[in-house]
Amino acid sequence: MANILLPPEWRTIRSADQTSEKEYLNRRSFLQAMGITGLGLLSGITASSIACAASEPAGKLEAAVPSPPPGLYPAARAKEFLDGGRPMTPEEAAANYINFYEFSTDKSRVSELVKPFQTHPWEVKVDGLCENPGVYDLDAIEALGLEERVYRHRCVEAWAMTVPWTGVPLRRLIEKAQPTSKAAYVKFTSFYRPKEALGQARERQYTWPYYEALRMDEAMNELALLVTGIFGHRLPKQHGAPVRIISPWKYGYKSPKSIVRIEFVKSKPGTFWNDLQPSEYSFLSNVDPEVPHPRWSQASERILSTGDRVPTKLYNGYGKYVAGLY
Ligand SMILES: Nc1nc2c(c(=O)[nH]1)N[C@H]1C(S)=C(S)[C@@H](COP(=O)(O)O)O[C@H]1N2
Ligand SMILES: [Mo]
């Protein structure tokens, strides 16, 4: 179990003793057809016993993402974030190198394994210590007013990309919710659907659903974005459809995908990676070239698709916006 906490690039993939996703989906359809949903039963069914079961192709499980109302995408690009100060990462490269552990720890397989994931309809519950709790669907979030921003993204594993996100300043939603004076943190919870997410079903050592949090002053910061789109259209599943957070001055895992709940709380909440391995993943996790990860340096980063190595900047270069917070 020692290697479970390694990020995927350092992780040994034990493909030989893992069920292939095709086999998994076949088993699932078979069990669904029989009205059996308990995951514990999966291990007792052998490949040969399902070979004759009629199963639906995985593609059929994928719901079409509805087209947004005309005029929403692409949203006008915000003047402050016209470019990321670096060349834009090609969309293809960003979409096929993905950390989304709910589906796989193998970045190159996520874009395929997300197919069964149903991202519509979707609701985000906003609750906790606030005067105006509510439930928002994608249209309601987009109605808060979309803009496009090009941000640099820095993963703790030292790869980086630059992409245009479409979203709403998180602050706008928070102001609508009117948190009480007791609310000191904002907690985010991702979905839990082990029948659609292979990683949630298989990787039982993780504490699903994925959960993250920001301090209230961080969540209210100009940079924090509630994201519904990328590259001028609604988010594809692998980037965290239909709605996720982006906090570009922090390592990527502080930007939870496919969230279902935003909760205002009084005390510092636990977070997925910090709870798993506090010595490697701090609560704040601000990008900092001078604080090495215990197992590698953070002094430089590798640009996705070009492979160029560039120096890492404090707060991922966003000190102008966030240095005052720390
Ligand atoms: N729910 C959830 N959110 C997540 C992750 C995840 O595994 N599950 N991975 C994080 C990590 S490590 C990174 S680098 C970014 C990557 O997402 P992107 O390439 O779409 O930005 O998502 C973050 N958000
Ligand atoms: Mo990451």
Side-chain angles (χ1 to χ4, degrees):
M1 294 285 272
N3 73 343
I4 64 163
L5 300 172
L6 295 176
E9 285 184 356
W10 285 266
R11 191 166 183 245
T12 315
I13 309 291
R14 294 157 295 128
S15 48
D17 63 354
Q18 287 180 349
T19 314
S20 77
E21 75 275 10
K22 196 164 166 227
E23 195 184 317
Y24 168 84
L25 291 167
N26 282 344
R27 286 181 186 190
R28 215 189 66 187
S29 308
F30 172 70
L31 293 173
Q32 278 173 344
M34 294 187 64
I36 300 168
T37 51
L39 284 164
L41 292 170
L42 286 171
S43 55
I45 298 187
T46 63
S48 60
S49 74
I50 59 151
C52 58
S55 59
E56 296 192 8
K60 261 186 129 182
L61 297 165
E62 188 179 10
V65 179
S67 306
L72 275 187
Y73 295 85
R77 193 169 288 180
K79 284 199 179 62
E80 290 237 20
F81 306 103
L82 287 178
D83 66 73
R86 286 179 186 173
M88 198 84 89
T89 302
E91 183 169 7
E92 276 276 305
N96 290 294
Y97 191 80
I98 292 281
N99 275 335
F100 203 168
Y101 273 36
E102 283 86 339
F103 297 91
S104 176
T105 52
D106 181 345
K107 287 192 243 309
S108 64
R109 296 176 72 225
V110 170
S111 54
E112 174 204 342
L113 292 173
V114 291
K115 283 182 178 169
F117 183 29
Q118 302 296 306
T119 55
H120 184 84
W122 192 272
E123 284 182 342
V124 181
K125 194 205 266 185
V126 178
D127 68 346
L129 302 170
C130 64
E131 304 291 347
N132 191 23
V135 174
Y136 292 72
D137 64 10
L138 178 56
D139 296 319
I141 290 169
E142 289 171 337
L144 295 171
L146 294 178
E147 60 185 84
E148 187 173 75
R149 296 181 177 194
V150 183
Y151 277 167
R152 296 179 295 281
H153 174 98
R154 171 62 153 81
C155 177
V156 72
E157 298 160 341
W159 56 269
M161 63 179 184
T162 303
V163 296
W165 300 108
T166 311
V168 182
L170 179 59
R171 184 173 57 205
R172 208 171 292 160
L173 180 85
I174 295 174
E175 280 164 355
K176 250 195 113 177
Q178 297 172 38
T180 67
S181 56
K182 290 198 175 109
Y185 294 86
V186 187
K187 183 180 173 184
F188 308 100
T189 310
S190 293
F191 69 101
Y192 181 62
R193 299 207 200 152
K195 288 189 205 156
E196 296 172 21
L198 192 54
Q200 285 185 332
R202 274 190 192 161
E203 310 276 344
R204 309 300 293 177
Q205 71 277 28
Y206 291 119
T207 44
W208 308 115
Y210 195 95
Y211 52 106
E212 254 303 335
L214 296 171
R215 283 186 343 211
M216 184 61 81
D217 59 348
E218 295 178 323
M220 291 292 286
N221 186 266
E222 171 62 28
L223 291 179
L225 211 56
L226 189 60
V227 166
T228 59
I230 188 170
F231 286 103
H233 49 71
R234 282 181 167 170
L235 285 174
K237 294 174 180 178
Q238 64 264 43
H239 282 303
V243 57
R244 67 171 304 172
I245 300 298
I246 285 289
S247 46
W249 71 102
K250 294 176 176 287
Y251 291 120
Y253 59 87
K254 294 290 296 182
S255 295
K257 296 178 172 183
S258 305
I259 57 170
V260 297
R261 188 173 182 193
I262 299 175
E263 189 186 358
F264 301 101
V265 297
K266 190 175 162 189
S267 352
K268 186 160 126 184
T271 56
F272 183 88
W273 283 106
N274 182 241
D275 284 347
L276 283 165
Q277 196 67 296
S279 61
E280 303 198 348
Y281 310 102
S282 67
F283 177 84
L284 285 181
S285 286
N286 294 320
V287 176
D288 189 340
E290 308 215 321
V291 179
H293 185 278
R295 290 181 279 122
W296 60 88
S297 163
Q298 294 290 24
S300 70
E301 59 205 51
R302 179 174 54 85
I303 304 292
L304 262 200
S305 96
T306 66
D308 291 349
R309 201 94 214 175
V310 302
T312 291
K313 291 183 182 153
L314 181 62
Y315 305 123
N316 202 18
Y318 292 109
K320 174 185 155 194
Y321 299 93
V322 297
L325 294 174
Y326 309 105

